Amino acid sequence: MHKEYLNKKVIIRGDRSGVFFGTLVAKEGSEVKLENCRRLWSWAVGSAASISQIATEGVKNAEECNFTVTVDSIVITDVIEIIPCTEQAIAVIEGVKEWKM
């Protein structure tokens, strides 16, 4: 485990579960636990080219992005990518209005 990622805001990509943003608090194999987590369900065309760009810059057109409500914690069991977020990206992602029905 890359210990420098612990207790940091990261973007996680799961093999089948999707893309998540939150604080990484534990990792074992391909399983992670995130706290204060949102699923990054979709982002508008032109908002970012990839999740790598989202982790470094955030998104453009935030009002057209679908980022879910924040949950206290979640365990994701199919992690294939962990990207640490910059302060700029954190501010942008946390500023996106919660998408809910």
Side-chain angles (χ1 to χ4, degrees):
M1 153 97 188
H2 293 280
K3 294 184 191 229
E4 70 269 18
Y5 293 177
L6 268 180
N7 301 308
K8 304 279 190 209
K9 299 275 186 169
V10 297
I11 291 180
I12 299 291
R13 181 167 64 103
D15 185 40
R16 299 179 79 186
S17 60
V19 177
F20 302 84
F21 165 78
T23 303
L24 179 64
V25 295
K27 180 180 184 307
E28 185 173 325
S30 62
E31 183 174 291
V32 300
K33 181 177 181 183
L34 297 178
E35 291 183 346
N36 301 312
C37 179
R38 299 177 79 177
R39 184 184 307 262
L40 307 186
W41 185 260
S42 67
W43 45 94
V45 174
S47 287
S50 69
I51 60 173
S52 297
Q53 185 177 2
I54 295 173
T56 57
E57 301 174 6
V59 293
K60 297 170 179 59
N61 306 321
E63 65 282 349
E64 297 178 39
C65 296
N66 294 325
F67 296 175
T68 66
V69 298
T70 302
V71 297
D72 291 337
S73 67
I74 189 170
V75 173
I76 304 162
T77 60
D78 65 342
V79 172
I80 58 174
E81 188 172 11
I82 302 172
I83 308 170
C85 293
T86 65
E87 291 300 321
Q88 174 186 342
I90 292 166
V92 172
I93 294 166
E94 289 179 343
V96 174
K97 183 180 173 189
E98 289 186 339
W99 174 58
K100 55 187 173 180
M101 299 292 163

